[in-house]
């Protein structure tokens, strides 16, 4: 198994690296195998958290699954349980590929570019949520006016 240093993980993780790094070390100790952990952000903000952490394929899957009745809560629980591992797997895979592409080079700067987060997703999530609430309120008011 290729060695990934703490500095490379920290550069890749970006914000909240102090929360992620101990879990990443645990997964490394398990030879990259899964062990359930818990990530509250992944649980509560599943779709937005996946976009924030640049886990696009999973975000697309969650988006599609969110339209299946009664499945959303199960997806939230699963995301909370596997969130750290999904980040770990992406980080490890991308860092190892970088090291293979640029042997002998300090890849920490490239790790930060490839990993990290999309901070704008927070604001987009808030905006979309506010718009959904306003739409629901508007439809409720219009519906009640038409019903009278």
């Amino acid at each position: 198994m290729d060695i990934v240093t703490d500095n490379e993980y920290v550069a890749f993780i970006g914000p909240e690296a102090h929360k992620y790094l101990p879990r990443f070390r645990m997964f490394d100790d398990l030879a990259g195998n899964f062990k359930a952990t818990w990530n509250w952000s992944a649980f509560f903000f599943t779709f937005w958290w996946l976009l924030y952490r640049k886990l696009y394929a999973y975000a697309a899957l969650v988006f599609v699954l969110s339209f299946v009745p009664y499945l959303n809560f199960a997806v939230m629980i699963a995301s909370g349980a596997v969130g750290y591992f999904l980040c770990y797997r992406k980080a490890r895979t991308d860092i190892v590929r970088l090291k293979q592409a640029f042997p002998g080079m300090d890849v920490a700067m490239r790790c930060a570019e490839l990993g990290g987060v999309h901070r704008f997703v927070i604001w987009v999530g808030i905006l979309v949520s506010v718009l959904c609430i306003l739409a629901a309120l508007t439809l409720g008011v219009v519906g009640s006016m038409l019903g009278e």
Side-chain angles (χ1 to χ4, degrees):
M1 194 157 122
D2 294 305
I3 295 174
V4 177
T5 68
D6 285 356
N7 287 341
E8 292 163 343
Y9 277 141
V10 168
F12 192 93
I13 295 165
E16 304 297 320
H18 67 281
K19 292 180 184 175
Y20 286 73
L21 191 56
R23 274 92 174 177
F24 283 25
R25 285 189 201 122
M26 178 190 68
F27 296 135
D28 275 342
D29 291 343
L30 295 169
N33 292 312
F34 173 73
K35 180 177 181 181
T37 56
W38 192 255
N39 186 315
W40 285 106
S41 297
F43 172 74
F44 283 116
F45 308 107
T46 305
F47 173 73
W48 298 108
W49 178 83
L50 290 165
L51 288 179
Y52 178 72
R53 286 282 166 194
K54 301 181 180 180
L55 296 163
Y56 307 119
Y58 294 109
L61 178 64
V62 164
F63 182 77
V64 170
L65 292 177
S66 69
F67 293 103
V68 178
Y70 308 108
L71 192 58
N72 196 36
F73 191 65
V75 169
M76 289 171 63
I77 291 171
S79 296
V82 302
Y84 284 115
F85 186 74
L86 294 178
C87 286
Y88 164 78
R89 211 169 67 187
K90 178 179 176 21
R92 179 156 192 73
T93 300
D94 288 354
I95 292 168
V96 168
R97 284 186 186 153
L98 273 175
K99 288 175 128 180
Q100 290 169 348
F102 302 98
M105 184 177 163
D106 181 15
V107 296
M109 183 65 93
R110 291 188 183 257
C111 287
E113 294 168 7
L114 191 58
V117 296
H118 287 307
R119 291 190 187 277
F120 72 89
V121 169
I122 295 169
W123 298 108
V124 171
I126 291 169
L127 177 65
V128 168
S129 297
V130 167
L131 291 175
C132 286
I133 291 168
L134 289 175
L137 290 173
T138 302
L139 290 173
V141 168
V142 169
S144 68
M145 288 172 36
L146 292 175
E148 290 184 1

